[in-house]
Amino acid sequence: GTIEGTGIGLVLVRRLVELMDGTLDVSSHAAQGSTFRLCLPRAGATGPDGGGPALTPAGDAVAGAGPAVERHRVLYVEDNEANQRLLSRLLARRSDIELRIVPTAREALLLAPAFQPALLLLDIQLPDGDGNALLCDLRAQGVSVPAVAVSANAMPRDIERARAAGFDDCLTKPFKLRALLAMLERYLRTPPGGERPNG
């Protein structure tokens, strides 16, 4: 016999697509089936009106659509495997970002000078120290790129402590996709003159 679904899968897919600023269209024809069209924003693209993201059908080839995309290196220091996987998945479709993840302050200090990241994402609570001290050590090594404190603690005193340690911004866990993308846009874009934005 035929087992009918509850339809909740489509509701969940639609919600996820909306969270990623995409669209989902469905057309059904009796005895022919259904067609689903999923469009998601292409990284770094804007729509024809210059405002919103350009929507590209998922799976469509965009190779050869223009010059090579500049890749920005992001170093994420995080010991929690679930958070590592989450950020990897969130950034997997970003061809303009090369993400490296290390679980300890010690490994970050060894990797950062050679990797030359454009952005640091530092967990505040690490197994071998804290993110505030790590940022100080990285600055002493000459790593002067923007740094974002990543923490589940978003109390005003925690944010003040991170700012005092030299962090440019704070990102709260669990990650909110819009906040993460806005933060990446802010610190990885290349404004006229090649200088990064302040504040």
Side-chain angles (χ1 to χ4, degrees):
T2 303
I3 299 173
E4 291 189 22
T6 61
I8 195 166
L10 186 55
V11 172
L12 291 173
V13 168
R14 173 172 247 151
R15 181 68 183 128
L16 286 171
V17 169
E18 288 171 352
L19 287 170
M20 292 185 281
D21 293 326
T23 60
L24 178 65
D25 297 314
V26 180
S27 62
S28 292
H29 302 285
Q32 291 182 347
S34 301
T35 301
F36 298 84
R37 183 171 172 84
L38 168 66
C39 292
L40 295 172
R42 188 169 53 212
T46 57
D49 62 355
L55 297 181
T56 304
D60 281 7
V62 292
V69 175
E70 180 186 355
R71 289 177 61 86
H72 302 284
R73 294 177 174 179
V74 175
L75 176 60
Y76 180 33
V77 185
E78 169 67 73
D79 61 311
N80 182 290
E81 290 183 16
N83 289 325
Q84 292 175 355
R85 283 192 303 270
L86 178 59
L87 193 68
S88 292
R89 286 185 188 135
L90 290 175
L91 298 183
R93 294 182 61 91
R94 294 286 303 256
S95 62
D96 61 327
I97 293 178
E98 180 182 346
L99 177 67
R100 285 281 180 86
I101 302 173
V102 294
T104 65
R106 181 178 174 276
E107 289 176 74
L109 289 167
L110 291 172
L111 175 67
F115 182 56
Q116 297 183 342
L119 178 65
L120 299 168
L121 301 176
L122 307 180
D123 184 23
I124 294 299
Q125 296 179 339
L126 295 166
D128 60 343
D130 75 7
N132 296 323
L134 172 57
L135 181 59
C136 182
D137 292 341
L138 287 167
R139 295 293 191 231
Q141 283 188 337
V143 180
S144 60
V145 299
V148 176
V150 181
S151 178
N153 302 323
M155 299 300 290
R157 70 177 184 275
D158 299 311
I159 294 171
E160 287 172 21
R161 193 174 299 127
R163 293 269 188 200
F167 281 97
D168 297 276
D169 217 331
C170 296
L171 189 63
T172 305
K173 294 187 282 189
F175 298 116
K176 292 182 175 49
L177 181 61
R178 286 177 193 265
L180 173 64
L181 295 178
M183 183 270 302
L184 291 171
E185 174 64 23
R186 180 177 184 201
Y187 292 108
L188 295 180
R189 70 175 182 239
T190 307
E195 296 179 7
R196 70 180 177 86
N198 290 322

